């Protein structure tokens, strides 16, 4: 009965989305007003991420039963959104997602895709792991059409979409799927593996790949080493800094993050807070040329702020890990090629034979064309010798493999400054201004 009442209220109060190109000189301003519900902020940020928009500033407020967000966004080249069709698409997506209208993308009971089989993997990271996984899939006559691979704190997670070589469709035979699982788990487990390696089949469309990767690594407790390393000093200037402050007068916990700015940073933080069942009531986001400041007034879903030191430490460590997972180490290599069976296996084998370690990968295939991005380092995690890169390009094809940029220590670490007073003193002013 309560659910039906909530649906009625949402129908009577549909979300309002305003997209304004005149309110700010260097960004498009998007305002979203709607009925409040747990997870709505993540849905809105997810839409902006899916539309490849860069969030430069944001003001968040969701006291009571109403939710209001204001985002300053640009395209990836730093311009305002001018295309009317793109503006209309953003508006429609936000209105649908903010209203919590059920869709195939969000339905838990969505049927598995006929086009591909979705595989989720987790295990211990090591040099050559992706190459071994791709080799196993190639031997089992499976073609990788899409994949996202993350590594963090010696753990690895992946969401891989595969098809049958012969039919080009999803792998359906239960016995064959069992064989795939057994062999991939053996590869992921490696030698001396203490944690369990996992391979599961998941219906695509249940949730976004990015969110699933966060959930897989969170469940794998990849943040545990992050918490211990946080006490070290050798890389302190390179790590994100997350603090928690009690706001007793408002009965909130204030989470403040400072890190290098990058695309999808806000999504990674909000995704983790949401999956840990915390609610953001107010927030501010401000990005600079290098550094990003994010501040959120949160409570747990049960209505209470963080109440113990153990809970506080876990939240801080999990948020640090969430920010670090997508940090791209090393050299960015982009592959453009005609797709063929075993292509990814061959490419990753060449990387392994030349002592390259894949830190992150984005694999995609469209209309018979493969467009793959790899972030690689040498085995020690440092810059790769130029001669090795040129040798690899000759083996693969100069026109097929392009070197984008080197991310190892390419940015100046954020300077140590005190920001807590600024944010705490200005959040509610910003909310009023919005």
């Amino acid at each position: 009965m309560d659910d039906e009442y909530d649906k009625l209220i949402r129908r009577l109060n549909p979300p309002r989305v305003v997209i304004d190109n005149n309110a700010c000189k260097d960004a498009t301003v998007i305002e979203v007003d709607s009925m409040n519900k747990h997870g709505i902020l993540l849905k809105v940020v997810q839409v902006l991420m899916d539309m490849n928009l860069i969030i430069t500033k944001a003001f968040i407020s969701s006291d009571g039963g109403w939710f209001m967000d204001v985002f300053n966004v640009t395209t990836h080249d730093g311009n305002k959104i001018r295309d009317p069709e793109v503006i209309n698409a953003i508006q429609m997506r936000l209105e649908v997602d903010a209203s919590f209208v059920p869709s195939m993308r969000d339905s838990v009971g969505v049927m598995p895709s006929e086009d591909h089989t979705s595989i989720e993997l987790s295990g211990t990271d090591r040099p050559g792991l992706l190459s071994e996984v791709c080799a196993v899939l190639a031997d089992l006559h499976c073609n990788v059409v899409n994949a996202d691979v993350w590594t963090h704190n010696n753990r690895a997670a992946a969401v891989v979409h595969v098809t049958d070589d012969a039919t080009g469709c999803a792998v359906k035979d239960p016995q064959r799927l069992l064989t795939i699982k057994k062999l991939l788990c053996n590869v992921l487990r490696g030698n001396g593996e203490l944690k369990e390696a996992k391979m599961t089949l998941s219906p695509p469309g249940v949730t976004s790949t990015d969110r699933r990767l966060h959930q897989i690594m969170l469940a794998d407790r990849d943040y545990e080493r992050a918490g211990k390393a946080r006490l070290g000093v050798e890389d302190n200037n390179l790590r994100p800094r997350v603090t928690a402050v009690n706001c007793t007068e408002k009965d909130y916990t204030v989470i403040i993050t400072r890190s290098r700015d990058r695309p999808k940073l806000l999504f990674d933080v909000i995704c983790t807070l949401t999956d840990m069942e915390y609610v953001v009531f107010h927030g501010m986001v401000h990005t600079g040329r290098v550094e990003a400041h994010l501040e959120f007034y949160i409570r747990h879903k049960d209505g209470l702020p963080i109440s113990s030191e153990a809970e506080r430490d876990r939240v801080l460590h999990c948020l640090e890990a969430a920010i670090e997972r997508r940090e791209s180490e090393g050299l960015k290599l982009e592959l453009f090629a005609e797709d063929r069976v075993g292509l990814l296996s061959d490419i990753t084998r060449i990387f392994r034979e030349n002592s390259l370690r894949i830190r992150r990968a984005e694999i995609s295939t469209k209309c018979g064309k493969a467009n793959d991005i790899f972030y690689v380092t040498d085995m020690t995690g440092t810059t790769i010798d130029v001669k090795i890169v040129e040798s690899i390009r000759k083996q693969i094809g100069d026109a097929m493999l392009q070197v984008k940029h080197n991310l190892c220590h390419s940015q100046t670490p954020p300077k140590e400054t005190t920001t807590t007073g600024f944010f705490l003193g200005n959040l509610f002013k910003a909310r009023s201004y919005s």
Side-chain angles (χ1 to χ4, degrees):
M1 186 66 181
D2 289 340
D3 288 342
E4 293 301 319
Y5 178 74
D6 288 342
K7 291 177 184 177
L8 174 62
I9 294 299
R10 287 198 293 274
R11 281 197 295 268
L12 295 175
N13 297 276
R16 183 177 70 95
V17 178
V18 177
I19 301 177
D20 189 349
N21 267 322
N22 299 318
C24 178
K25 66 177 182 179
D26 54 6
T28 298
V29 178
I30 300 177
E31 182 178 323
V32 183
D33 297 330
S34 76
M35 296 293 295
N36 194 17
K37 187 177 177 70
H38 181 60
I40 189 171
L41 176 59
L42 178 60
K43 281 179 170 285
V44 171
V45 173
Q46 170 86 57
V47 170
L48 299 180
M49 186 185 76
D50 289 346
M51 302 297 287
N52 292 317
L53 300 177
I54 303 297
I55 299 171
T56 59
K57 291 183 182 179
F59 300 106
I60 300 160
S61 181
S62 61
D63 256 347
W66 200 255
F67 164 88
M68 186 190 79
D69 271 8
V70 180
F71 299 95
N72 286 18
V73 303
T74 67
T75 60
H76 265 269
D77 54 11
N79 296 323
K80 292 185 179 183
I81 309 165
R82 299 294 187 184
D83 189 334
E85 291 187 4
V86 174
I87 291 175
N88 186 55
I90 294 170
Q91 182 143 8
M92 290 180 65
R93 278 286 308 275
L94 286 172
E95 287 174 348
V96 169
D97 282 48
S99 65
F100 280 86
V101 174
S103 65
M104 288 299 289
R105 188 167 56 86
D106 301 313
S107 299
V108 175
V110 66
M111 294 300 292
S113 170
E114 293 293 318
D115 298 329
H116 60 256
T117 300
S118 184
I119 297 173
E120 297 177 356
L121 306 170
S122 66
T124 298
D125 182 35
R126 66 177 185 276
L129 177 61
L130 181 58
S131 175
E132 293 177 38
V133 168
C134 293
V136 167
L137 291 172
D139 288 344
L140 294 171
H141 304 289
C142 295
N143 188 39
V144 177
V145 292
N146 294 292
D148 283 273
V149 182
W150 289 3
T151 65
H152 179 248
N153 282 340
N154 208 36
R155 305 301 298 170
V159 176
V160 185
H161 296 167
V162 301
T163 59
D164 178 81
D165 282 355
T167 64
C169 298
V171 180
K172 297 179 180 179
D173 178 45
Q175 190 59 44
R176 188 177 174 193
L177 289 172
L178 193 63
T179 301
I180 292 172
K181 180 173 182 177
K182 179 181 177 181
L183 293 179
L184 285 180
C185 281
N186 286 339
V187 168
L188 290 164
R189 190 174 294 112
N191 295 323
E193 167 62 30
L194 298 178
K195 285 191 175 182
E196 180 185 1
K198 295 180 182 178
M199 192 218 93
T200 58
L201 300 176
S202 64
V206 171
T207 190
S208 72
T209 297
D210 296 84
R211 188 174 183 185
R212 279 302 300 145
L213 286 167
H214 276 302
Q215 290 172 340
I216 293 168
M217 299 205 89
L218 182 65
D220 201 29
R221 304 175 74 89
D222 72 312
Y223 56 85
E224 288 184 336
R225 276 193 58 192
K228 294 174 184 177
R230 184 168 168 262
L231 300 176
V233 295
E234 70 281 355
D235 63 344
N236 188 52
N237 287 332
L238 302 177
R239 295 175 54 82
R241 289 184 287 284
V242 186
T243 57
V245 181
N246 289 328
C247 181
T248 53
E249 61 183 62
K250 298 291 184 179
D251 205 25
Y252 295 123
T253 297
V254 186
I255 299 294
I256 302 167
T257 75
R258 297 178 63 249
S259 67
R260 289 177 177 149
D261 187 31
R262 60 167 174 77
K264 303 183 180 181
L265 175 63
L266 179 59
F267 172 85
D268 294 337
V269 174
I270 296 298
C271 177
T272 300
L273 286 172
T274 302
D275 285 335
M276 294 179 73
E277 298 196 323
Y278 289 95
V279 179
V280 175
F281 287 86
H282 307 286
M284 260 179 53
V285 175
H286 179 77
T287 63
R289 210 161 41 86
V290 173
E291 190 178 52
H293 301 257
L294 287 72
E295 180 175 311
F296 304 106
Y297 282 52
I298 70 166
R299 294 183 190 133
H300 194 266
K301 197 176 177 181
D302 61 13
L304 298 176
I306 294 175
S307 56
S308 71
E309 199 62 33
E311 182 186 4
R312 182 188 305 274
D313 285 345
R314 183 171 183 270
V315 170
L316 297 184
H317 297 165
C318 288
L319 289 176
E320 285 178 349
I323 294 171
E324 289 176 340
R325 286 171 194 145
R326 211 192 292 265
E327 287 286 349
S328 302
E329 299 179 60
L331 194 68
K332 180 180 179 181
L333 302 177
E334 190 161 5
L335 176 76
F336 298 94
E338 293 287 336
D339 188 37
R340 60 173 173 80
V341 175
L343 173 65
L344 187 60
S345 177
D346 291 342
I347 297 297
T348 53
R349 175 182 51 79
I350 291 172
F351 286 170
R352 186 189 71 224
E353 290 173 350
N354 285 273
S355 300
L356 297 192
R357 186 167 185 170
I358 298 172
R359 299 292 183 169
R360 191 159 69 87
E362 301 168 12
I363 312 300
S364 62
T365 307
K366 189 174 182 180
C367 300
K369 303 285 185 181
N371 182 10
D372 303 340
I373 297 174
F374 304 93
Y375 297 89
V376 298
T377 66
D378 67 7
M379 292 302 176
T380 63
T382 55
T383 308
I384 303 166
D385 191 310
V386 175
K387 293 180 181 178
I388 294 177
V389 176
E390 289 306 312
S391 172
I392 292 170
R393 291 190 68 203
K394 287 179 181 178
Q395 292 177 63
I396 295 174
D398 289 349
M400 292 168 57
L401 188 67
Q402 299 180 10
V403 179
K404 290 302 181 178
H405 53 268
N406 197 325
L407 294 168
C408 277
H409 312 298
S410 61
Q411 291 178 309
T412 304
K415 294 179 181 179
E416 193 71 46
T417 58
T418 303
T419 60
T420 306
F422 170 80
F423 282 113
L424 288 175
N426 285 279
L427 182 63
F428 288 102
K429 292 179 185 177
R431 176 193 168 202
S432 301
Y433 171 77
S434 299

